[in-house]
Amino acid sequence: VNPVFCKVALDTPLRRCFDYLPPRDAAAPVPGARVLVPFGRQQLVGVVTALADSSDLPVEKLRQVLRVLDATPLLSAADLALLEWAAAYYHHPIGSVFATALPKLLRDGRDPGSPQVFWSITAAGRVWLQDPKSLRAKRQHELLQWLAARDACDEEDLAELLPGWREPARALLAKGFVATTSRQRDVSAPVISAATAGPRLDPDQANAVTAVTNALGQFAAFLLDGVTGSGKTEVYLQLVETVLARGESVLVLCPEIGLAPQLVERFAKRFATPIAALHSGMTDRERLGVWHDAAVGRARILIGTRSAVFTPLPRLGLVIVDEEHDASYKQQEGGFRYSARDLALLRAQQVGVPIVLGSATPSFESLHNVATAKFMPLLLTRRAGNAQPPRLSLVDLRAHAVHKGLSIPLLQAMDRHLAAGAQVLLFINRRGYAPTLICNTCGWIAPCHACDARMTVHQKSQRLSCHHCGAEEKLPERCARCGYEVRPLGHGTERVEETLVERFPGFAIERFDRDKLRQQSQLEGAIDRVHSGEARILVGTQMLTKGHHFPEVALVGVLNADQSLFSTDFRAAERLAQTIVQVAGRAGRADRVGDVLIQTQYPEHPLLQSLLNEGYGGFAAQALVERNTAHWPPYSRLALLRASGVQPDAAIQFLQQAKLLMENPDGVTLQGPIPAAMVRKAGRYYAQLLVESAQRLRLQKYLAEWIEKVEQLPSARKVRWALDVDPLDVF
Ligand code: ADP
Ligand code: ZN
């Protein structure tokens, strides 16, 4: 009998799988199953990627799998292939890629179908809680109070939210003040009742639906390029209906920041079937539950942010990426910097199903893919129903008086629209009260001590905070240098809100930013107040620019468009245009005609001019010509080796050595190393080395060889480094 070897992906920094022998007295695990294996002195949970009949190591050196955790594979062959491809393409250790793809409890070795145990307070418990004596048992009292405020609580949630809960819980259980119930997870097939009918599609929408429907069952990529409010979501919903009727499931990706709940709600209204929704702000247990619903086919619609792209779905029939241009699809932190949009494309290709990428402001990559016939364009040029396109105009800040960041023309337009009963939305890309605290006398500016950055003033909490490293301190009243008075300089959302309260008494104001809306439930509350009409003026950051459908908003004001007009990053113009068009798209989405006023010091700037005169499409066409001339993506391929060290030169030195590792690379150029745009961040010094090639394959081949060498450099151990393939921010 030939021996069988298990190739196991383990979450270690090494870029390879590890070989193990099957357990002594059990069958070999199937690929895609998790196993518990010895690793050094530890025991680790890993995933079997393949079985092989040979190993690079002699048999006697190999250790045995301790336990097989899944009798049936957790990941299908296609799921495994996607992860292996991702590890190869992003040149990232495969075990770490697998760790990103699995919910934490699965990584910990938990059985996904294990029964859930719920804890709840009993009637006797409620009585005891009223007894002052109960306060003496402090931790028991605390836990009981917590349970009293909730319905039955899942054990795993308790463990995550109230560490150390187990001991008081046992004591309470013995006294009969709490009770437990256990529930098997429902794995029955979902009931899919008829969908609620949607609106009659207009001809453009109908064409789009037909084109994608005709492609079902095979790979095809579509760019649904539809102006804001043109009914892209309706197109998705129609397609999903067809796919569900074929007995298949759908993967819907959406950007971060609170968009998921709204999309989920629209899907839930239309389809009487379980929907698996994966987004930030869920407990580990909730994540596992949703993952499991999707993986066993109980929920046939999966809606989620970035990492949802890895979730298994049996009989996947269609992939949708909403707002495909959104930067949040790219993981920009840590080691595994993948693009969920690009992986979604690959997944559709591997499984052989169509993918629809939707946006009112498509990424230049996607526009280029249309130009090179890789994507089929589906255009929605008009707004759905009676809605008209918004009217954009510029307010020249040099020519008009400005009252605390708000120009007179904007204030007058606000008066007019508010008097007409409409809502007004103001966008300012800065949270906090003011971006700077300055001394009136000596000009001192409050710095972050760990970064090359200024501290942002937060008036309400009376704190200074660094938006780069999170450092915080008390808001000083006096200058640290000369002792005279300091004052906030510039405007953030908090300050604009304060101005609005003074200037528009009687109009309820809703602020949207991360400081105000920390939790999903708070964001949902704010959105509800906008929909109910209670809120009249909305002021906020990017949170407000994305995907919302607020029918009563008739005026949008962009308070500071200028910040990124002169940025050196080659993507800055694309980003700014996308932001402006997206925020403008919040105006006039129903019967009200929308006005958009963009405040700027540079009304003659070519970017603003082409955007106003020719729209996003015209702007993009021009900007793409410039990209081509300058050999930037999508006309070239980039990777960025980023490094940081505690010593000022460590990162640069490491990158210099990395650059010298391979002489005269074929068709690949290395630029740098240069210090990062913000050199010092959170006490570390950052630098980067840019790798560029006209051809993706050349770049890939180079990186594969190069990274193996980079890893071996002694200086690599003195810094933190990460390779970013297809980076978004280059400067
Ligand atoms: P997008 O996703 O492109 O921003 P939505 O799908 O949210 O656009 O559509 C905008 C609004 O128009 C929604 O209220 C939607 O219900 C409505 N709508 C979409 N398509 C139609 C249609 N064919 N007829 C009438 N109303 C429509
Ligand atoms: Zn800082």
Side-chain angles (χ1 to χ4, degrees), residues 21 57-63:
L21 296 169
L57 288 175
V59 178
E60 56 279 10
K61 287 241 162 122
L62 294 180
R63 301 170 80 179

Side-chain angles (χ1 to χ4, degrees), residues 199-202 205 227 229-234 266 384 549 589:
R200 226 185 109 84
L201 296 186
D202 73 27
Q205 286 174 311
V227 298
S230 57
K232 293 184 289 296
T233 313
E234 283 303 328
R266 269 180 90 174
H549 185 66
R589 288 176 62 96

Side-chain angles (χ1 to χ4, degrees), residues 158-201:
L158 276 166
E160 188 179 342
L161 303 169
L162 281 185
W165 68 285
R166 185 67 80 170
E167 200 189 314
R170 278 209 198 98
L172 289 167
L173 190 65
K175 291 188 249 182
F177 295 157
V178 295
T180 63
T181 46
S182 155
R183 204 185 299 154
Q184 194 63 43
R185 282 200 62 80
D186 188 354
V187 292
S188 56
V191 184
I192 302 186
S193 21
T196 321
R200 226 185 109 84
L201 296 186

Side-chain angles (χ1 to χ4, degrees), residues 7-11 16-18 45-49 94-95 98:
K7 308 267 166 196
V8 180
L10 293 174
D11 191 5
R16 57 179 177 87
C17 286
F18 297 84
V45 174
V47 178
V48 178
T49 60
I94 185 148
F98 273 71

